[in-house]
Amino acid sequence: MLARGGRVALVSDAGTPGVSDPGHRLVELVVEAGHEVRAVPGPSAALAALVVSGLPTDRFVFEGFLPRRGVERAERLGQLVAEPRTTVLFESPHRLAETLDELREVCGADRSVAVCRELTKLHEETWRGTLGDAATALGELRGEIVVVLGPAVATTAPDDDTIRRALDEALAAGRTRRDAVREVAARFDVARNDVYELATRRSDDASSGAAGRDG
């Protein structure tokens, strides 16, 4: 139709097409085919949530949906610990409680958060508070959910003991050493090589202790 000079409109009943939406694939193909793509401004849940959250809007990052499980999810959550910008996340109602609980574990109970539901629709509502309060204050929600996470408060770099404890916890949880290093480095926003060195040194110390006892 475009090749014949026609016009095609991509319309969504769930916010802006192309934002965490398969519509971006169509846009990509149309652009590759050499056709023009124009946007008609419409409701965007990400920006609407940011505006009503009451959190800083001068700098923000859009994370979309987090990976559902595994190392990739843990790594992405860990990166949010030291994120200096407000973060906008999409989440499904049945995974919201789990995500808020994990955010509380990695980011701390005092981190500010806003949970927005059904934005720009009849039953729109926004809850604002801390990650520590969110788990108990919010019951089971329905509809489309946007989580707006406040920026991290600047802190001093973690010392070696803190990193070692985090490594021990990750290993005790069943992570391989490689995955534990990656997760801890992302969590504390430190160089992966430095964490790997501590992990290797810890393994060498444990091996030396075992050899000494055997001797």
Side-chain angles (χ1 to χ4, degrees), residues 76-163:
R76 287 274 291 279
L77 284 167
Q79 290 170 354
L80 298 179
V81 175
E83 176 56 64
R85 299 164 292 183
T86 298
T87 302
V88 181
L89 302 161
F90 284 168
E91 191 51 280
S92 66
H94 65 275
R95 291 198 300 268
L96 177 63
E98 178 185 356
T99 295
L100 289 174
D101 190 54
E102 288 184 89
L103 285 171
R104 178 187 55 79
E105 288 182 3
V106 299
C107 296
D110 294 332
R111 190 81 163 260
S112 296
V113 67
V115 179
C116 307
R117 183 179 79 89
E118 292 290 272
L119 289 170
T120 76
K121 299 179 182 179
L122 179 62
H123 301 292
E124 173 181 326
E125 62 178 328
T126 299
W127 180 91
R128 303 173 184 85
T130 65
L131 288 171
D133 294 333
T136 55
L138 294 174
E140 184 176 345
L141 300 179
R142 295 182 179 181
E144 296 179 340
I145 306 295
V146 184
V147 177
V148 185
L149 182 68
V153 177
T155 57
T156 57
D159 57 24
D160 289 354
D161 288 340
T162 299
I163 293 178

Side-chain angles (χ1 to χ4, degrees), residues 170-188:
L171 293 170
R175 306 277 196 274
T176 64
R177 184 168 70 174
R178 179 180 179 182
D179 289 342
V181 167
R182 183 188 298 120
E183 182 177 323
V184 171
R187 175 179 174 184
F188 292 105

